[in-house]
Amino acid sequence: MSVPVISLIALIFVIVISCIFPLNIGAMSLGLSLVVGHYLGGIKVADIIKGYPVNIFLMLAGTTYLFALAQVNGTLEKIVKYSIKGVRGNVAILPIIFFFLAFALSSMGPGQITIAALMAPMAMLLAEEVGISPLLMAIVVGNGGQAGAMSPIAPAGVITAGLTAKMGLSGVSNILWLNQLLGHFIVSALAYIIYGGLKLWKVKDTGQRQVLASMEIEPFTRNQWITLIAILVFVIGALFFKMDVGLGGFLIGTILALFKISDEGKAIKQMPWGTILFVCGVTVLIELMKNIGGMELFAGIIASVSTPFTITLVTGFLAALISAYASTTGVILPAFIPMAPMLLEKVGAPATELVPLLSAIVVCGFLTDLSPLSTTGAIFYANAGEKTDKKKLFRDMLIWGLSMSVVGAVVSWLAFTVLRLP
């Protein structure tokens, strides 16, 4: 058996293990890289280590460090509470407000998982209190957070920017961010229609306005105001002044920690070290596969059932299906994005199809994450209130998540290949 084939089997093994066992496959990928690359492929360990994405590590660690500080001192939670109270009891627009609030907060840097953990308890409780379908609330808020995941300063956007930069592709971050918003907005709008959002406009006020308007929230503290200003400086610096998001996050976060604006010890413990190891470890295995021909082999298999016109449809479906059980951030992005140029070359598609293909990969990868088997979906399911039928909610979320592998692929294909949006 050739080394490229063994490397592909190693990747498939890692994906399967991630679906079955709660193990960090970043660590597993690093170990397999030694076996496949060094012991079987004869590659020097130093050359394998060169595949470690130092830039992605710094960007992820820096951004999550800053926003962990903002979460620890209560700044992010208070932003959410004030936004909810601002709705003033207009129940029908509450899911819409939540979608865009989750999108805005996720885009600012924390990413979709942090925002899901932050907003799910309040969102699911309010859904019960004011008569909104818990399934609808979970889908809309979860997709809102995921719509902001491709922001140039959010973890998934940072990872994607690092991967596309290695491909020699620059200036696509904002396009992917916009397409991510477009795909998740379309799907959320469908959920709003299907699961009773339109009916909420016809419901007479039964005390919902009072529930929301009477919510008691303490004013922002001095430290929280300083944190808000720090986040604003970070966002402006990253988006308009080309500040490095990783080092910039460390700089601004360190200043907050130095002046005791937040508890650095607690923040560092809350940083997603497992996710960082996950992403960086898998990336090393993917880089090794690229160097020994494994990724080209994988691309050939996908290309064999695709055409230039259907490549986004097929790849999007496959990415979504795997993502329903594996990590989008840790598996789909590092595995599929570097493969995109190979896929186009093998099916004979022009280079102009690269951005549509990348868009389909990221949109489809995230759309299935509202399954209760994925992290985002599990967070919302776990926070369902006592009045909610949890067995029914689990079943409905599972059906929704798996159906997105088909719906997401079709929506992405129509939007990015057929209609050429944006």
Side-chain angles (χ1 to χ4, degrees):
M1 188 180 296
S2 67
V3 177
V5 173
I6 293 174
S7 71
L8 178 56
I9 292 174
L11 177 62
I12 295 173
F13 175 75
V14 163
I15 292 173
V16 171
I17 289 297
S18 73
C19 299
I20 300 174
F21 300 105
L23 301 176
N24 190 308
I25 63 170
M28 184 184 301
S29 297
L30 291 171
L32 287 174
S33 296
L34 177 66
V35 174
V36 175
H38 182 62
Y39 294 126
L40 298 179
I43 300 174
K44 294 180 179 180
V45 173
D47 291 331
I48 296 174
I49 294 175
K50 287 179 182 178
Y52 190 86
V54 176
N55 60 328
I56 292 177
F57 170 80
L58 289 174
M59 286 187 284
L60 282 175
T63 54
T64 55
Y65 173 69
L66 173 60
F67 284 96
L69 288 165
Q71 187 172 5
V72 164
N73 72 5
T75 302
L76 294 182
E77 182 180 2
K78 202 158 286 186
I79 292 173
V80 173
K81 287 185 175 180
Y82 271 110
S83 300
I84 293 171
K85 190 169 184 178
V87 175
R88 298 184 181 278
N90 296 306
V91 175
I93 68 169
L94 190 58
I96 301 172
I97 296 295
F98 263 56
F99 176 89
F100 286 105
L101 174 61
F103 166 72
L105 291 175
S106 178
S107 297
M108 288 170 63
Q112 75 281 4
I113 301 299
T114 297
I115 296 307
L118 185 68
M119 296 185 66
M122 288 172 284
M124 299 304 280
L125 177 61
L126 278 171
E128 281 194 350
E129 293 290 338
V130 301
I132 297 173
S133 163
L135 177 62
L136 172 61
M137 188 64 91
I139 292 172
V140 171
V141 181
N143 277 314
Q146 291 176 164
M150 294 309 296
S151 161
I153 58 175
V158 166
I159 292 167
T160 303
L163 294 171
T164 53
K166 285 187 176 182
M167 296 158 49
L169 192 64
S170 59
V172 299
S173 293
N174 288 332
I175 296 176
L176 294 179
W177 184 20
L178 177 60
N179 286 346
Q180 179 83 335
L181 171 60
L182 178 64
H184 284 75
F185 178 77
I186 291 172
V187 169
S188 297
L190 290 174
Y192 189 82
I193 295 169
I194 294 171
Y195 296 116
L198 296 179
K199 294 180 181 179
L200 294 174
W201 294 93
K202 302 175 183 179
V203 176
K204 295 182 180 180
D205 179 34
T206 56
Q208 295 99 325
R209 290 181 181 273
Q210 184 177 356
V211 170
L212 296 178
S214 62
M215 182 186 297
E216 295 185 3
I217 311 170
E218 295 181 1
F220 281 100
T221 65
R222 170 183 169 275
N223 286 350
Q224 289 167 345
W225 276 116
I226 294 173
T227 305
L228 278 174
I229 294 171
I231 292 174
L232 183 61
V233 170
F234 174 74
V235 172
I236 292 174
L239 295 182
F240 300 105
F241 295 97
K242 298 182 179 180
M243 180 184 71
D244 183 271
V245 293
L247 299 181
F250 280 123
L251 172 63
I252 296 172
T254 300
I255 294 172
L256 294 178
L258 181 63
F259 289 96
K260 307 295 183 181
I261 303 301
S262 185
D263 188 326
E264 185 188 48
K266 291 182 180 179
I268 290 177
K269 290 179 181 179
Q270 286 198 13
M271 287 173 64
W273 293 111
T275 299
I276 293 173
L277 175 60
F278 199 145
V279 172
C280 293
V282 172
T283 301
V284 171
L285 180 59
I286 298 299
E287 283 295 311
L288 175 64
M289 289 181 64
K290 285 173 60 180
N291 293 335
I292 62 179
M295 289 307 292
E296 187 172 353
L297 179 63
F298 190 21
I301 295 173
I302 297 175
S304 66
V305 293
S306 307
T307 68
F309 190 58
T310 63
I311 188 65
T312 55
L313 181 67
V314 174
T315 307
F317 170 73
L318 184 58
L321 193 61
I322 295 174
S323 179
Y325 302 98
S327 167
T328 304
T329 305
V331 174
I332 301 304
L333 297 183
F336 278 76
I337 288 179
M339 187 170 54
M342 302 179 201
L343 289 172
L344 296 181
E345 182 180 348
K346 287 185 177 296
V347 298
T352 53
E353 293 298 317
L354 182 55
V355 172
L357 180 55
L358 292 174
S359 298
I361 290 170
V362 298
V363 171
C364 292
F366 280 105
L367 277 178
T368 56
D369 283 353
L370 262 296
S371 160
L373 302 178
S374 293
T375 304
T376 301
I379 290 172
F380 283 93
Y381 173 73
N383 282 282
E386 296 180 357
K387 301 176 185 177
T388 301
D389 184 343
K390 287 200 170 186
K391 289 184 178 180
K392 182 177 185 300
L393 180 62
F394 183 91
R395 183 195 66 201
D396 291 345
M397 290 182 70
L398 184 61
I399 292 172
W400 173 268
L402 293 177
S403 70
M404 284 301 103
S405 60
V406 176
V407 174
V410 172
V411 167
S412 297
W413 177 68
L414 289 173
F416 309 133
T417 296
V418 178
L419 299 178
R420 312 299 297 182
L421 299 176

